Amino acid sequence: MSDFAFLRFLTNGLLTEEERNDKETIIMLTEEVLHAQGMECDATIAKISESQLKEILEKVRQLRKKRKAQQADSTEILQQHYG
C-alpha cells in the first residue's frame, strides 16, 4: 500500500536523497503512520492534499529519527560492554 504513498512523496519532490535511497524504511514507517491515522488504502492516499501528504511525511521523519537515535544508543551500550 505505501508504495503509492512513497511514489506521491517522490513525485512531489518531498524526499531527500537519503530518504529516496532508504525506500523500504520510508515505506514501513509510512504504513505505521497511515495505520495510526486510520488510512489503509491507496484510494485514500490518492485523494489527500499535498499539505496532508507533507504532514504524513513529517511524522515518518520523526519516527525515523527516533529509531535511528535508539539504534545509536543500543550500539553505544554494546560497545561499552563488549568493546
Side-chain angles (χ1 to χ4, degrees):
M1 172 188 92
S2 293
D3 285 320
F4 187 69
F6 183 85
L7 182 61
R8 284 215 51 208
F9 294 149
L10 193 60
T11 57
N12 284 295
L14 300 175
L15 298 174
T16 66
E17 182 71 28
E18 182 183 351
E19 291 166 341
R20 286 189 297 266
N21 292 331
D22 197 10
K23 179 181 178 180
E24 294 304 315
T25 300
I26 298 298
I27 289 172
M28 179 189 66
L29 295 174
T30 300
E31 287 176 354
E32 287 183 34
V33 169
L34 294 175
H35 181 69
Q37 293 184 354
M39 295 182 207
E40 298 186 19
C41 67
D42 287 344
T44 303
I45 298 303
K47 294 176 184 176
I48 64 173
S49 68
E50 187 174 340
S51 65
Q52 290 173 304
L53 195 63
K54 287 178 183 179
E55 289 174 16
I56 291 168
L57 182 56
E58 186 54 39
K59 289 178 183 175
V60 168
R61 287 174 173 156
Q62 290 170 358
L63 278 174
R64 188 169 179 247
K65 183 178 179 180
K66 182 178 177 181
R67 294 211 177 148
K68 278 186 174 187
Q70 289 172 341
Q71 287 176 341
D73 289 345
S74 296
T75 300
E76 185 178 322
I77 290 169
L78 288 173
Q79 289 176 346
Q80 288 174 356
H81 289 287
Y82 300 106

